[in-house]
Amino acid sequence: MCTASTTPAPVREGPGPLTGFTIGLTAARRREELVALLERRGARVVEAPTVRIVPLEDDDALRRATRSCLDAPLDYVVATTGVGWRGWMSAAEGWGDGGALLAACRQATVVSRGPKATGAVRASGLHEAFSPGTEASQEVLAWLLGRDLRGRRVAVQEHGAPMEAFAAALRERGAEVITAPVYRWSPPRDAQAVRRLVEAAVHQEVQALAFTSAVAAVALLETAAAAGRREELLAALRTGVTAACVGDLCAQPLLEAGVPVHRPPRARLGALVRTLTEVLPRHGRWGRRPLRSGPHPLVLQGNALLGDGDPVWLPPLPAAVLRALAERPGHVLSRGELLSRAWPGDHADEHAVEMAVTRLRKVLGPHAGLVRTVPKRGYRLADAS
């Protein structure tokens, strides 16, 4: 559900490193935690989970897979995600099979896909024999295929979607594969909110999109494609809207689409937020732009005016006009130039510029004198002083 407006009325609130930036979230899992981290740093957040997680703790398929793991000794166990591994162990405990499943895993060779899965494995009292630093399933598969798998029993904890190719490659080498579908992805509860997020990104009413899973990134692109907006969304992500992903695996669908992606050195939510905090204030389009120097300086950051008092959030269009003027301090911009800079790709006329400037001055209040009219020529930013 979309819980924040992309065109809010200006309000005053405490400053932070992300004040002035509106960030779209596609996450379903740990969404509340990510929202809190971003809002604590001053950002506004638009929530539109592109998929939802359907837990299978009570599902017969997972229960059958668990019982199959207990029918005979396991040789290898693959943990693919931390939340999935913990969910599996918890479900087994609820069925009264928790101790037996842990004992079966303890007798096997455990392989974990990256640090999150490794942490969950260790928290359950087990130790991994191998874990790739990249969190790539292909590295886990390559490690397993380097062993003699004939007649071996391999349990694979799936992570949101069936790992059919992974399991097939193991079976081709003679392994008996048991897949444990701990959770799966389904369409979002609020598809309309996802479409609104696509539109907000296309019109650059959000300054960044944050992704915590590859599935969520794919789902957003598919929603854009269904609306005939895929290429426009990709163009926005390549030029004005920052894409930030929690890790390399999450970033892969966007990288394959030619989108530059910012990633933290460690695949953690806190690290993802720190990356946004470092990148957005320095972004060429949305970064900090001085409007007035001297004893009472004013700065435009994202869509917020920062000065001595509380930040003033500007609606996207007036902010775009002010940003265009701030990009060329001291220069007069004609109405036509402002149209091309603040309304790229939109069908507007010079009257729209006049209306936007009027609205901007109203929102600026005591700072309305920042925007000067130059008769018969256009507008300019007041000289810094």
Side-chain angles (χ1 to χ4, degrees), residues 7 17 30 59 63 84 137 197 278 282 314 341 373:
T7 57
R30 299 178 68 187
D59 192 271
R63 192 164 191 170
S137 297
L197 180 59
E278 294 166 0
R282 298 199 303 266
L314 309 177
R341 289 171 177 268
T373 300

Side-chain angles (χ1 to χ4, degrees), residues 64-156:
R64 286 195 302 271
T66 302
R67 291 292 167 81
S68 182
C69 290
L70 305 178
D71 287 342
L74 294 172
D75 296 290
Y76 295 95
V77 179
V78 180
T80 57
T81 64
V83 66
W85 182 267
R86 288 189 295 270
W88 188 16
M89 296 299 114
S90 176
E93 185 176 357
W95 299 323
D97 294 327
L101 181 58
L102 279 174
C105 293
R106 194 171 288 114
Q107 298 301 314
T109 299
V110 178
V111 182
S112 58
R113 186 183 65 93
K116 293 181 183 178
T118 297
V121 165
R122 293 179 181 177
S124 63
L126 304 174
H127 296 280
E128 76 288 353
F130 172 73
S131 178
T134 61
E135 300 188 71
S137 297
Q138 287 302 314
E139 288 198 38
V140 174
L141 180 60
W143 189 90
L144 287 168
L145 294 180
R147 274 76 192 156
D148 183 3
L149 297 178
R150 289 172 296 180
R152 305 296 186 186
R153 302 185 81 233
V154 183
V156 179

Side-chain angles (χ1 to χ4, degrees), residues 213-280:
S213 76
V215 176
V218 170
L220 186 71
L221 295 178
E222 289 177 347
T223 298
R229 297 290 232 170
R230 178 184 166 91
E231 292 308 314
E232 290 172 280
L233 175 62
L234 292 176
L237 288 168
R238 291 168 186 151
T239 57
V241 179
T242 296
C245 293
V246 75
D248 292 340
L249 189 67
C250 172
Q252 199 58 40
L254 296 173
L255 293 172
E256 290 174 357
V259 173
V261 179
H262 294 275
R263 287 154 285 176
R266 298 178 68 236
R268 297 288 187 273
L269 290 188
L272 175 62
V273 173
R274 283 194 296 275
T275 295
L276 286 166
T277 301
E278 294 166 0
V279 169
L280 285 178

Side-chain angles (χ1 to χ4, degrees), residues 11-67:
V11 298
R12 295 182 180 273
E13 56 190 34
L18 290 178
T19 296
F21 301 111
T22 301
I23 300 173
L25 294 192
T26 61
R29 183 164 55 87
R30 299 178 68 187
R31 187 173 80 250
E32 294 82 2
E33 180 182 351
L34 186 51
V35 169
L37 287 170
L38 291 168
E39 290 183 341
R40 199 175 300 146
R41 288 156 178 80
R44 282 183 171 164
V45 178
V46 175
E47 299 178 52
T50 58
V51 292
R52 62 188 174 99
I53 297 174
V54 180
L56 297 180
E57 286 87 346
D58 299 323
D59 192 271
D60 288 341
L62 179 59
R63 192 164 191 170
R64 286 195 302 271
T66 302
R67 291 292 167 81

Side-chain angles (χ1 to χ4, degrees), residues 308-322:
D308 292 337
D310 293 334
V312 178
W313 282 75
L314 309 177
L317 188 53
V321 171
L322 183 58

